[in-house]
Amino acid sequence: MQAALDRWFIDEILVHEGALVRYLQRCWSRRDEIHDLRQEVYARVYEAAAKSLPTQPKSFLFASARHLMTDRLRRSRVVSIEPMGDFEPSHVLVDDVSPERWCGGRQGLLRLAEAFDRLPDRCREVVWLRRVEDLSQKEVAVRLGISEKTVEKHIAKGMRLLADHLHGSDDVRTPKAATVDRRDGQQRAD
């Protein structure tokens, strides 16, 4: 079986080496990593083919390369949480906050809580799930049984209403639209 897999790899995968290298050079900015990427793609393809031969080897090769680059980009964005040196708690100034600043922070928090409580019910629920519980837009939509577009609209409306309240508007709820009565042409609030 090993010899058959090696023959398949040579005939179906290695024949695309030039195209693979050009693809990696076009998509990957760090030129010094191209050969490592190529080898890792080959290793992934070979391991996968040992389990089951792909029906479209060339497509599988390039899809594997694209997935590898995506994985590397994700890993490069992860921030290390390892300490950079000795951390002594004595260097942290906890009592640095003045009473005025502390009180101002409390007042701002109370104002935000008040504005949040005044949001329309569904809007408040969507904003809470998305911004506080940090669920994705899709997760919020699934949990509440609404479309992602509706989640977007509630978030936009909620953020606008919160900002309006925090920047001076008295009422967070959207004012009801005035309509014109067709019978007498007078404007009335709904």
Side-chain angles (χ1 to χ4, degrees), residues 108-128 132 158-159 161-163 165-166 170-174:
L109 188 58
L110 288 172
R111 188 163 163 82
L112 177 62
E114 177 186 288
F116 187 78
D117 288 341
R118 294 173 67 186
L119 287 174
D121 293 339
R122 180 58 75 141
C123 188
R124 181 176 55 245
E125 190 175 14
V126 169
V127 171
W128 181 268
V132 177
M159 293 296 106
L161 293 173
L162 287 172
H165 182 77
L166 293 174
D170 290 334
D171 188 17
V172 169
R173 293 190 189 272
T174 54

Side-chain angles (χ1 to χ4, degrees), residues 51-63:
K51 296 174 187 168
S52 173
L53 290 177
T55 56
Q56 297 179 338
K58 184 177 180 182
S59 297
F60 185 73
L61 173 68
F62 285 92

